[in-house]
Amino acid sequence: MSPLLILLLGFLQPLAGALAPAFGIGTPIGDATSGTSAPEQPFPAFFSIWSVIFAAYAAFGVNGLVRPDDWPRRLGLPLVLAGVGNIVWMLSAQLVGSQPLDFVLLAPIFVSAWWAAREAEALRGTRSLGFHFGDAASGLLAGWISVATAISIPLTIRSFTGLAPSDFPWPMFWSTILSAGLFAWIFASRISASLWYFVAAGWGILGIAFHNWLETGMHLIGHFAAGCLLILLLLRLTRGAKPVKRGA
C-alpha cells in the first residue's frame, strides 16, 4: 500500500470532518452532542485528539516516502481501510445524520484500526521510525474508536427508544464505561501491548469525567469515571499487556 495514500488520508480525514462547519453543507458532527446532558459524552475539547491521530497518519506516510526501505508496509492496508472508513463515517454524520447508521459505520473503522494495531504488535521490537509512527497511528486510533463505539451505544439506544439525554443517566453511563473496559481488556490480552491505545482510551474517559464535572452537573458520575480511569491505567501499568502471539 502506497505511503502517499496514507499521507493523503492524513489530510483528507480532517477535511471531510470540516465539510459542514467550513462550507455549510450538512450538520456539523459536534452539533449532535454539543451542550448535551448525556453523561457518557466527553467534554468537547477532548475531541482534539483527532488532530494527533491525523498527524500520526501523515507522519507515517511521510516516513514511507522518505525511507521506503524501512517502511512497515503490512500496516498500510488496515490503516488505509480505517482512514477511508473514517471519511465515510464523517460524511454520513454530517449529510445523513442517522445515529443507527453512524453506529454501524463505526464497525469497519474499529476492525481496521484493531487489525493495524495487531500488525504493529507483530513488528514490535523493530528499530524503525516508520514502525513507531505506525504504532502510534494504529494504537491511538484503535483506542479512540473503541471509546467512540462505547459512547455510541447509549446514543443508539436513545434513537430507538425516544429517551432524553438525561434519562436513566447511570445505566447509560455504565453501558459506556463497561464496554470501554471490556474493549481495553480484549485489546491488551488479544491484540497488542501498545500503550498508545490506553493513552487515547484514557483521554476519552477523562473527557467523560470533565463533561460531568463541568457541564452536566452530575459530579458523582464524573468521580466514578475518574475512578474507573485510574483503575484501568493502574491495571495496565502493573499487570501489563500479554497479547496472544500468532501461530507459526
Side-chain angles (χ1 to χ4, degrees):
M1 192 59 62
S2 169
L4 179 59
L5 185 53
I6 298 287
L7 177 60
L8 288 175
L9 285 170
F11 290 101
L12 290 177
Q13 289 178 85
L15 289 177
L19 184 67
F23 302 103
I25 303 173
T27 304
I29 296 173
D31 282 6
T33 55
S34 61
T36 181
S37 56
E40 75 283 349
Q41 292 298 311
F43 191 65
F46 282 74
F47 288 93
S48 61
I49 193 174
W50 276 119
S51 62
V52 182
I53 295 172
F54 298 149
Y57 252 86
F60 183 57
V62 169
N63 179 263
L65 293 173
V66 175
R67 304 185 67 180
D69 293 339
D70 294 332
W71 197 65
R73 295 186 177 277
R74 61 195 300 176
L75 287 173
L77 178 58
L79 282 177
V80 164
L81 294 177
V84 171
N86 201 24
I87 290 173
V88 172
W89 179 87
M90 289 178 177
L91 294 177
S92 172
Q94 294 169 95
L95 301 177
V96 181
S98 169
Q99 175 55 39
L101 175 60
D102 292 342
F103 184 71
V104 170
L105 290 176
L106 284 173
I109 311 172
F110 187 107
V111 171
S112 298
W114 280 44
W115 174 16
R118 179 73 164 167
E119 294 291 350
E121 179 62 26
L123 298 170
R124 193 164 303 284
T126 303
R127 295 183 178 181
S128 162
L129 190 58
F131 161 75
H132 292 296
F133 285 137
D135 185 38
S138 60
L140 288 170
L141 181 59
W144 184 251
I145 210 66
S146 296
V147 172
T149 301
I151 66 179
S152 292
I153 293 172
L155 288 175
T156 305
I157 291 173
R158 294 190 192 99
S159 71
F160 286 115
T161 61
L163 293 172
S166 58
D167 289 341
F168 304 107
W170 282 99
M172 296 300 186
F173 165 74
W174 283 117
S175 70
T176 293
I177 291 298
L178 293 179
S179 297
L182 177 61
F183 293 151
W185 174 75
I186 294 174
F187 186 88
S189 62
R190 292 288 185 270
I191 303 299
S192 172
S194 175
L195 281 171
W196 289 112
Y197 179 96
F198 287 85
V199 169
W203 180 254
I205 296 173
L206 184 62
I208 293 173
F210 270 89
H211 175 66
N212 287 284
W213 288 332
L214 302 177
E215 290 195 326
T216 70
M218 301 179 193
H219 296 152
L220 186 57
I221 289 182
H223 299 337
F224 267 89
C228 290
L229 171 59
L230 290 175
I231 292 172
L232 181 68
L233 295 180
L234 182 64
L235 288 174
R236 174 60 183 84
L237 294 174
T238 58
R239 300 179 66 88
K242 299 177 181 178
V244 174
K245 299 296 183 182
R246 294 182 181 180

